[in-house]
Amino acid sequence: MDPQKIEQRSFDIIEQELKRELDPIQKPVIKRVIHTTADFSYADTLCFSPQAVEKGLEAIRGGASIVTDTNMGKAGISKQTLAGFGGQVHCFMADADVAGEAKRRGVTRAAVSMEKAADLGEDFIFAIGNAPTALIRLRELIDEGRIHPRLVIGVPVGFVNVAEAKEYLMEADVPYIVARGRKGGSNVAAAICNALLYQCV
């Protein structure tokens, strides 16, 4: 089968198996995450702040760049589509200055990566799929007024402080799309970014 037909057939199956109506604005995001993971529980655990999708679309169309916490997430985002609107995808995790600062202070590179993003002075979209410490530091930077995200995609996966970090982020005054609980991952973060990007085209 043609790849596009396979994808469309997959989305048709998702539509059939959901057996319920979703918010029409949130639906493309939820369906793409289910398509990426084959996990229908995301229809219940993905949480959206008011007008989160609309604000994300507005940011992309305005040329906003995306900061991720993994190179895997960066690899999965459609950089060509984002570039068409003037944005780029950044991941600072492997940068020598980030690694050195994290080691010196005894903190995670993910936390320092958020600080580096703040120092750039841009209003980024953040797509966090791995490190809860990135979400925690991001919330702190928001509270300090050092950073003003256009949207935070908070979907780290794991067992230590993951669910708590997501809830902490959701209490901030910032647009968010969050996968409550332990589930998530870089692939989910990338899928949400791509769902937004494809709606902009």
Side-chain angles (χ1 to χ4, degrees):
M1 291 179 67
D2 178 271
Q4 289 186 331
K5 290 182 179 179
I6 294 173
E7 181 175 88
Q8 185 55 54
R9 177 61 180 141
S10 296
F11 277 98
D12 290 344
I13 292 170
I14 292 168
E15 189 84 34
Q16 293 165 12
E17 294 194 17
L18 272 171
K19 296 179 180 177
R20 62 187 170 101
E21 288 299 315
L22 299 173
D23 181 289
I25 301 297
Q26 300 171 3
K27 187 175 182 178
V29 174
I30 295 169
K31 286 179 66 177
R32 187 156 291 278
V33 171
I34 293 172
H35 178 258
T36 298
T37 61
D39 187 342
F40 281 82
S41 71
Y42 282 104
D44 298 309
T45 59
L46 277 178
C47 299
F48 300 76
S49 65
Q51 294 190 306
V53 173
E54 293 93 329
K55 290 175 181 178
L57 298 177
E58 180 183 4
I60 290 169
R61 289 173 178 143
S65 291
I66 298 172
V67 173
T68 76
D69 65 332
T70 65
N71 279 306
M72 181 184 296
K74 178 181 178 180
I77 296 169
S78 179
K79 289 170 282 295
Q80 184 176 355
T81 304
L82 183 62
F85 296 98
Q88 302 177 61
V89 184
H90 304 286
C91 180
F92 305 123
M93 292 289 286
D95 291 6
D97 58 337
V98 169
E101 179 68 7
K103 184 176 181 180
R104 184 184 70 80
R105 288 163 47 194
V107 298
T108 67
R109 286 182 295 161
V112 177
S113 290
M114 298 301 102
E115 295 169 4
K116 182 168 182 173
D119 290 341
L120 293 177
E122 294 184 39
D123 293 338
F124 295 109
I125 294 171
F126 287 84
I128 310 302
N130 184 66
T133 55
L135 280 189
I136 293 168
R137 187 63 183 126
L138 194 55
R139 163 68 193 271
E140 293 170 347
L141 292 166
I142 292 166
D143 289 348
E144 293 166 12
R146 291 177 56 188
I147 199 163
H148 305 90
R150 302 293 298 275
L151 174 69
V152 178
I153 296 165
V155 293
V157 59
F159 299 94
V160 180
N161 289 330
V162 170
E164 295 85 352
K166 293 172 181 177
E167 297 296 326
Y168 185 53
L169 183 280
M170 290 168 68
E171 294 171 358
D173 184 19
V174 63
Y176 64 76
I177 300 173
V178 167
R180 271 188 153 141
R182 295 172 169 176
K183 292 182 180 181
S186 297
N187 59 332
V188 175
I192 294 172
C193 290
N194 288 336
L196 296 174
L197 284 165
Y198 298 154
Q199 288 187 72
C200 288
V201 176

